[in-house]
Amino acid sequence: MATYIHPTADVAADAQIGEDTKVWHLVQIRPGVKIGSECILGRGVYVDAHAEIGNRVKIQNYVSVYEGVIIEDGVFVGPNAVFTNDKIPRAVNPDGSLKSPTDWKISYTRVGAGAALGANCTIVCGVTIGKWAMVGAGSVVTKDVPDYALVVGNPAHVIGYVCKCGERLPEGVDPATYVCDHK
């Protein structure tokens, strides 16, 4: 199969998009973006300059992925999820002048391989979400999330751990060594 870009998508000429990736209605992909193979970007997804998206990533409708975000392979991002990239956002400088690109300080965010981010969650910049972690719908992630952790709430907090298939693990089980029997 070939890469598909819907006619209504706005894709920068220098954006790198891998084989078999699908870019759907009204997606905007800015300059310097790297998107891997076999990804799906749903309607209205915005990918800011220089963001990086791995292979086999599924990004649902109306997600905003800002500069400084790195999404590793196999990640699911639910509809209307949003990333931030500036810990101290302001439109103007202290003197009242409009901020220019050189006035911004980007904070980087990484989403580990296989992680899942629920609908309407907010990922505050500067955090790492561990591999195979799961963020509940509507959660606000303000600090790092461990590998395999299940986090919910505002601010998001760990309520347990999940296996690679997403099933909740029994209390006391080490998620790093657990062998999942779900296929």
Side-chain angles (χ1 to χ4, degrees):
M1 293 178 63
T3 298
Y4 174 77
I5 298 175
H6 192 273
T8 62
D10 179 7
V11 180
D14 70 342
Q16 298 174 31
I17 300 175
E19 286 187 42
D20 298 329
T21 288
K22 306 291 184 259
V23 177
W24 290 103
H25 301 78
L26 304 171
V27 171
Q28 182 178 7
I29 299 173
R30 304 247 354 257
V33 167
K34 295 178 184 174
I35 299 173
S37 62
E38 300 179 75
C39 295
I40 300 171
L41 279 68
R43 180 183 178 95
V45 170
Y46 173 78
V47 185
D48 199 9
H50 311 292
E52 297 179 24
I53 298 169
N55 300 309
R56 295 170 307 284
V57 172
K58 186 171 186 178
I59 301 178
Q60 296 283 15
N61 297 353
Y62 301 106
V63 171
S64 297
V65 180
Y66 291 107
E67 183 171 0
V69 174
I70 300 165
I71 298 175
E72 295 181 359
D73 295 346
V75 169
F76 173 86
V77 184
N80 297 298
V82 68
F83 294 87
T84 67
N85 67 354
D86 188 350
K87 285 210 181 244
I88 309 171
R90 295 281 193 218
V92 297
N93 293 306
D95 66 3
S97 62
L98 186 64
K99 280 195 170 199
S100 70
T102 59
D103 294 320
W104 295 97
K105 181 178 179 197
I106 301 294
S107 292
Y108 290 87
T109 299
R110 178 177 296 274
V111 181
L117 310 180
N120 295 304
C121 69
T122 299
I123 310 302
V124 176
C125 57
V127 302
T128 297
I129 296 173
K131 65 182 181 180
W132 300 105
M134 187 173 286
V135 175
S139 297
V140 179
V141 177
T142 60
K143 60 184 179 180
D144 290 351
V145 174
D147 292 348
Y148 301 95
L150 171 60
V151 299
V152 299
N154 181 5
H157 58 281
V158 177
I159 63 165
Y161 289 86
V162 295
C163 62
K164 287 183 180 181
C165 71
E167 293 291 328
R168 194 154 178 188
L169 297 179
E171 287 291 322
V173 171
D174 181 358
T177 59
Y178 180 77
V179 177
C180 176
D181 59 1
H182 298 100
K183 299 287 179 188

